[in-house]
Amino acid sequence: MQSYLNFSEEVRAAKLSGKPVVALESTIISHGMPYPQNVQTAREVENIIRELGAVPATIAIIDGKIHIGLSDAELELLGQSKDALKVSRRDLPYVLTSKKLGATTVAATMICAELAGISVFVTGGIGGVHRGAETSFDISADLQELARTSVAVVCAGAKSILDLGLTLEYLETYGVPVVSVGQAAFPAFFTRDSGYRADFQLDTADEQADFIHAKWNLGLRGGVIVTNPVPESEAMPKDEIDGITAQALQEATKQGIAGKAVTPFLLSRIKELTGGRSLATNIALVKNNAKVGAQLALALHKKH
């Protein structure tokens, strides 16, 4: 397994000196945002984590290796490539053995983080149960990964393009705890309140670390979702984003867009329909999650 891993100098040094490391995904760079905002945001998020005393490890598949931590040139490569494959659990062996360029989703990043001994991962929003899944069976592999892989995932909830009620039901069935920070509500990515509640409200990094530590010490494998709402000043009005999401979903259906192509299409279309405001919100929430993730990594580190 170790033969597939390639640690950056910064991450290797952090592991040797015992500094906490925070995993970051790369699909947000290759498929989630346009260039150059994607690379700029990736660098800014990494710097937020460094400033708080942890070490960032952006994860991607390059030349047959799982890269744990990327150089500036590698971030640029991912940000500008039109060929980067979107890599989930099923795709990892193919992308590694074919030596193609791969950007990791939430599921794949969790797998790679656990292989690398990293227990905290920061992202924008998790995947979930898609609307109409009762006939399409379109359910993100992220949810199964959260049930089986022991990594804490800091996010702004799930994207409002999903069926959030069914997503939460699915997580409950598989025993994945959903924690919220600073509020009882489960956030919906662009907006702070989805209309649903999280399972538990834990506002401080120490409380979150105690909870996660207890879960894993009890032998309860699997992830924990730590949901952190987008800052109030950067959030989008719920009615507006709901209307725009419905329009974008209709367009996707008409155009026959399905499977892993749906989310990138919807995010791009929502950006167009909001005149770019949704991209500003997306960037703000990822940066905000980086702060909570770095603090959680430091708190968990103290407990080891």
Side-chain angles (χ1 to χ4, degrees):
M1 175 268 288
Q2 288 298 320
S3 67
Y4 290 110
L5 298 179
N6 181 84
F7 291 92
S8 70
E9 287 305 319
E10 184 184 23
V11 174
R12 186 181 284 110
K15 290 184 83 62
L16 285 171
S17 64
K19 277 182 91 170
V21 180
V22 176
L24 297 163
E25 55 144 305
S26 46
T27 294
I28 198 169
I29 304 170
S30 66
H31 296 83
M33 291 182 192
Y35 182 82
Q37 290 97 329
N38 52 5
V39 175
Q40 187 184 335
T41 302
R43 288 192 180 122
E44 288 171 0
V45 166
E46 287 191 348
N47 283 331
I48 288 166
I49 290 166
R50 287 186 189 103
E51 282 164 13
L52 288 165
V55 171
T58 303
I59 294 175
I61 317 298
I62 304 172
D63 294 331
K65 296 277 188 185
I66 298 167
H67 283 241
I68 310 291
L70 301 182
S71 67
D72 258 2
E74 288 162 346
L75 283 176
E76 281 287 342
L77 174 70
L78 272 168
Q80 294 195 52
S81 173
K82 298 282 182 277
D83 305 320
L85 297 176
K86 192 175 174 186
V87 181
S88 193
R89 168 177 275 266
R90 69 167 183 194
D91 313 299
L92 267 169
Y94 171 72
V95 179
L96 281 168
T97 54
S98 64
K99 295 189 162 52
K100 291 184 186 291
L101 180 64
T104 53
T105 61
V106 169
T109 308
M110 287 182 75
I111 293 165
C112 298
E114 189 175 53
L115 289 174
I118 301 169
S119 54
V120 177
F121 159 41
V122 164
T123 185
I126 58 165
V129 179
H130 282 261
R131 298 185 195 193
E134 60 275 12
T135 53
S136 70
F137 283 81
D138 190 353
I139 299 170
S140 170
D142 295 353
L143 300 187
Q144 281 285 323
E145 211 56 57
L146 281 156
R148 58 155 68 100
T149 301
S150 298
V151 172
V153 180
V154 180
C155 62
K159 298 176 184 79
S160 50
I161 57 180
L162 303 167
D163 187 318
L164 297 181
L166 289 185
T167 298
L168 289 167
E169 288 288 352
Y170 193 103
L171 290 166
E172 184 202 5
T173 299
Y174 284 93
V176 179
V178 179
V179 170
S180 63
V181 181
Q183 62 178 37
F186 177 72
F189 199 67
F190 295 121
T191 57
R192 291 173 61 84
D193 187 348
S194 65
Y196 297 93
R197 291 173 70 91
D199 300 321
F200 313 105
Q201 182 179 339
L202 301 171
D203 295 340
T204 70
D206 281 334
E207 288 174 310
Q208 295 152 20
D210 283 341
F211 177 97
I212 293 162
H213 203 61
K215 179 186 192 302
W216 292 339
N217 276 352
L218 288 166
L220 300 173
R221 283 194 54 75
V224 175
I225 303 171
V226 179
T227 65
N228 180 40
V230 60
E232 192 96 57
S233 59
E234 308 285 350
M236 297 201 66
K238 188 174 188 305
D239 290 349
E240 181 191 4
I241 203 72
D242 285 352
I244 284 169
T245 299
Q247 182 185 332
L249 279 161
Q250 273 182 334
E251 290 176 11
T253 305
K254 267 189 196 156
Q255 294 177 39
I257 294 163
K260 60 167 69 175
V262 171
T263 301
F265 170 81
L266 292 174
L267 288 177
S268 172
R269 192 69 186 109
I270 289 166
K271 175 180 162 269
E272 287 168 17
L273 293 169
T274 59
R277 285 179 300 131
S278 66
L279 178 60
T281 300
N282 195 346
I283 291 168
L285 65 85
V286 176
K287 289 182 181 176
N288 196 39
N289 293 345
K291 291 176 191 167
V292 169
Q295 289 160 350
L296 173 57
L298 290 161
L300 267 175
H301 195 66
K302 279 192 300 197
K303 303 204 174 296
H304 281 304

